[in-house]
């Protein structure tokens, strides 16, 4: 009845499939490998009592007051140190930092300030769904680049760039999750990271580096961020406290050239004036007291155990010629079934059997990935992971037999 009042742009606001799914699951006792939640055991609840106390005592009048759009200076100073200590990124000054209400807001701001309808935007196949949802409002032309075990196929990107440029078209930005990808569960190799930065310079585009998971890598691999390789300030580095402290704080941040942060700041002003001052002081204090380091250490230990449980269970219960990623960190494994089964069509039945997952197709801008699925290992218990994978493995095998595929 109210639809006639809706603005045209609401056409691009698709309900997130995952969120719709979570609603169904909440009501039932099933094993969910579908979500994207951190393990709540990583939340430093006891420490939050002390930090909250200290913030109110030491900064009370500031912490509860309006603050500047760009972010509390005290916090931005802490972020500069944090970016260097954790990621080897040298930030020249405070003007390079913009505090965000979750890195999701960064994606929204980037879409609003940089993307015109029809602009060419490169994403990975598969890519982060919430990024697509944010970008969709600006109606870009997506170019999907396949991934393998070493991340985005940057060589294929180069071919596509060459083709487009020969037709007089230009790519404006490349969106990537280089380390412990959501949903793909893979990590871009160091060589490809360097190659991508070279292409950015050669073909004159910007790179949006979404980096929530490099802090949660539990194998000994190089995780140098694109931003640390970026000599021309072409990279917009996005990160968040959602996976390393608490997502409920809604606290993210970005690093980019001040010309970019200026326009982002102007945009953010109309979105929410500023990110909650209180969250910023809480996080600053958590960094200062080593609480973030503590959460990271704990999360790494827990997620490594859970990742191992999931990979072991996949070996034991999934069809032999299925493919799945072997993540070095983060929270997700991505799997591809050996048969042409439609994981989306099968989901309701899987839920009946007691397990939920996210069908992979909606992560692919080219409509492929029908037989893929995303499996979360951060939230369910080790026991749930094992029995969830066992149930799914059996279920897919049965379905393949039923349809004469296996
Ligand atoms: C979890 C996640 C984020 C974090 O979003 P917030 O808005 O900061 O909670 C960003 N990007 C990716 C790829 C993620 O998986």
């Amino acid at each position: 009845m109210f639809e006639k009042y809706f603005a045209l742009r609401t056409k691009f606001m698709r309900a997130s499939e995952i969120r719709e799914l979570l609603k169904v699951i909440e009501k039932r006792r099933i094993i969910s490998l579908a979500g994207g939640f951190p393990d709540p055991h990583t939340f430093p609840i006891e420490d939050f009592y002390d930090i909250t106390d200290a913030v109110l005592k030491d900064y009370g009048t500031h912490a509860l007051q309006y603050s500047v759009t760009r972010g509390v200076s005290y916090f931005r100073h802490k972020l500069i140190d944090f970016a260097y200590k954790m990621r080897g990124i040298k930030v020249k000054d405070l003007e390079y930092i913009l505090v965000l209400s979750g890195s999701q807001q960064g994606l929204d701001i980037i879409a609003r300030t940089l993307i015109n309808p029809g602009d060419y935007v490169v994403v990975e196949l598969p890519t982060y769904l919430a990024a697509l949802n944010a970008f969709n409002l600006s109606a870009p032309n997506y170019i999907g680049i396949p991934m393998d075990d070493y991340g985005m196929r940057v060589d294929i990107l180069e071919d596509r760039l060459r083709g487009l440029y020969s037709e007089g078209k230009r790519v404006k930005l490349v969106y990537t999750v280089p380390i412990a990808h959501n949903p793909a569960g893979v990590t871009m190799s160091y060589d490809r990271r360097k190659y991508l930065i070279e292409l950015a310079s050669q073909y004159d585009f910007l790179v949006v580096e979404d980096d929530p998971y490099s802090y949660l890598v539990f194998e000994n691999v190089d995780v140098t961020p694109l931003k640390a390789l970026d000599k021309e300030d072409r990279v917009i580095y996005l990160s968040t406290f959602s996976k390393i402290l608490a997502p409920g704080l809604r606290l993210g941040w970005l690093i980019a050239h001040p010309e970019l942060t200026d326009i982002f700041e102007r945009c953010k002003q109309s979105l929410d004036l500023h990110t909650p001052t209180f969250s910023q002081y809480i996080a600053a204090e958590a960094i200062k007291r080593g609480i973030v380091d503590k959460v990271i250490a704990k999360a790494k230990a827990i997620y490594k155990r859970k990742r191992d449980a999931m990979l072991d269970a996949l070996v034991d219960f999934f069809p032999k010629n299925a493919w799945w990623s072997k993540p070095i960190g983060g929270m997700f494994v991505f799997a591809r079934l050996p048969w042409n089964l439609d994981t989306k069509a099968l989901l309701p039945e899987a839920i009946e059997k007691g397990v939920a997952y996210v069908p992979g197709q909606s992560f692919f801008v080219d409509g492929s990935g029908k037989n893929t699925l995303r499996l979360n290992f951060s939230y369910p218990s080790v026991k749930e992971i094992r029995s969830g994978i066992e149930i799914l493995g059996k279920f897919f095998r049965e379905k393949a037999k039923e349809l004469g595929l296996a």
Side-chain angles (χ1 to χ4, degrees), residues 36 101-105 107 128 175 177 181-183 210-213 239-243 247 250-252 331-332 374:
S101 302
S103 49
Q104 185 61 30
Q105 184 177 51
L107 297 168
Y128 181 47
Y175 169 74
V177 184
H181 196 275
N182 173 11
D210 191 359
D211 185 35
Y213 298 117
S239 196
T240 177
F241 286 89
S242 289
K243 316 291 160 54
R250 302 313 300 132
L251 194 56
M331 314 196 314
F332 304 100
R374 190 189 74 175

Side-chain angles (χ1 to χ4, degrees), residues 141-383:
N141 266 317
Y142 289 117
I143 296 173
I145 302 296
M147 303 178 87
D148 62 16
D149 288 341
Y150 306 97
M152 187 200 297
R153 286 282 304 275
V154 182
D155 56 323
I156 294 179
L157 171 64
E158 184 173 20
D159 284 345
R160 294 298 301 275
L161 287 166
R162 238 188 249 127
L164 283 163
Y165 279 58
S166 72
E167 297 166 24
K169 294 170 184 155
R170 316 183 67 79
V171 162
K172 189 170 264 178
L173 58 90
V174 171
Y175 169 74
T176 176
V177 184
I179 313 294
H181 196 275
N182 173 11
V186 299
T187 291
M188 190 187 284
S189 70
Y190 180 77
D191 288 344
R192 286 194 192 169
R193 276 175 254 155
K194 274 196 3 202
Y195 186 9
L196 178 60
I197 293 298
E198 282 164 25
L199 289 181
S201 173
Q202 195 180 339
Y203 288 92
D204 189 26
F205 57 79
L206 298 177
V207 177
V208 177
E209 174 177 31
D210 191 359
D211 185 35
Y213 298 117
S214 65
Y215 305 89
L216 303 176
V217 164
F218 28 75
E219 305 289 340
N220 192 16
V221 270
D222 183 290
V223 290
T224 306
L226 296 165
K227 190 68 197 157
L229 304 169
D230 168 34
K231 301 215 165 56
E232 298 177 2
D233 273 338
R234 290 182 176 278
V235 176
I236 300 165
Y237 175 86
L238 275 176
S239 196
T240 177
F241 286 89
S242 289
K243 316 291 160 54
I244 57 176
L245 189 57
L249 289 174
R250 302 313 300 132
L251 194 56
W253 51 293
L254 67 76
I255 306 171
H257 189 277
E259 256 185 71
L260 289 166
T261 55
D262 277 350
I263 190 72
F264 295 162
E265 179 185 24
R266 242 184 285 170
C267 177
K268 178 175 164 69
Q269 207 154 21
S270 73
L271 295 180
D272 62 356
L273 295 182
H274 63 77
T275 294
T277 319
F278 196 55
S279 285
Q280 299 184 53
Y281 275 99
I282 294 283
E285 197 63 22
I287 293 173
K288 191 171 114 191
R289 294 180 176 214
I291 308 297
V292 174
D293 295 329
K294 213 169 80 178
V295 172
I296 289 174
K298 191 169 178 186
K300 273 160 74 166
I302 295 175
Y303 295 169
K304 183 176 192 303
R305 201 155 18 91
K306 291 184 170 183
R307 186 239 11 212
D308 290 343
M310 184 169 276
L311 292 181
D312 288 347
L314 284 162
V315 169
D316 292 344
F317 303 120
F318 256 43
K320 287 289 161 277
N321 38 1
W323 171 89
W324 57 84
S325 54
K326 283 120 196 135
I328 57 165
M331 314 196 314
F332 304 100
V333 170
F334 203 68
R336 183 182 298 276
L337 299 173
W339 315 289
N340 200 17
L341 285 177
D342 183 346
T343 54
K344 191 170 162 185
L346 291 176
L347 180 59
E349 226 180 304
I351 291 176
E352 281 305 309
K353 305 254 177 210
V355 191
Y357 57 83
V358 180
Q361 192 172 23
S362 51
F363 300 114
F364 290 80
V365 292
D366 65 353
S368 62
K370 219 170 150 178
N371 59 343
T372 63
L373 60 156
R374 190 189 74 175
L375 301 163
N376 169 261
F377 59 78
S378 59
Y379 190 78
S381 68
V382 165
K383 234 173 107 183

Side-chain angles (χ1 to χ4, degrees), residues 109-139:
I109 289 173
I110 286 165
R112 286 170 192 259
T113 55
L114 302 182
I115 306 175
N116 284 317
D119 277 352
Y120 287 92
V121 169
V122 170
V123 296
E124 287 148 328
L125 294 171
T127 189
Y128 181 47
L129 196 58
L132 290 182
N133 289 337
F135 297 162
N136 283 348
L137 288 187
S138 302

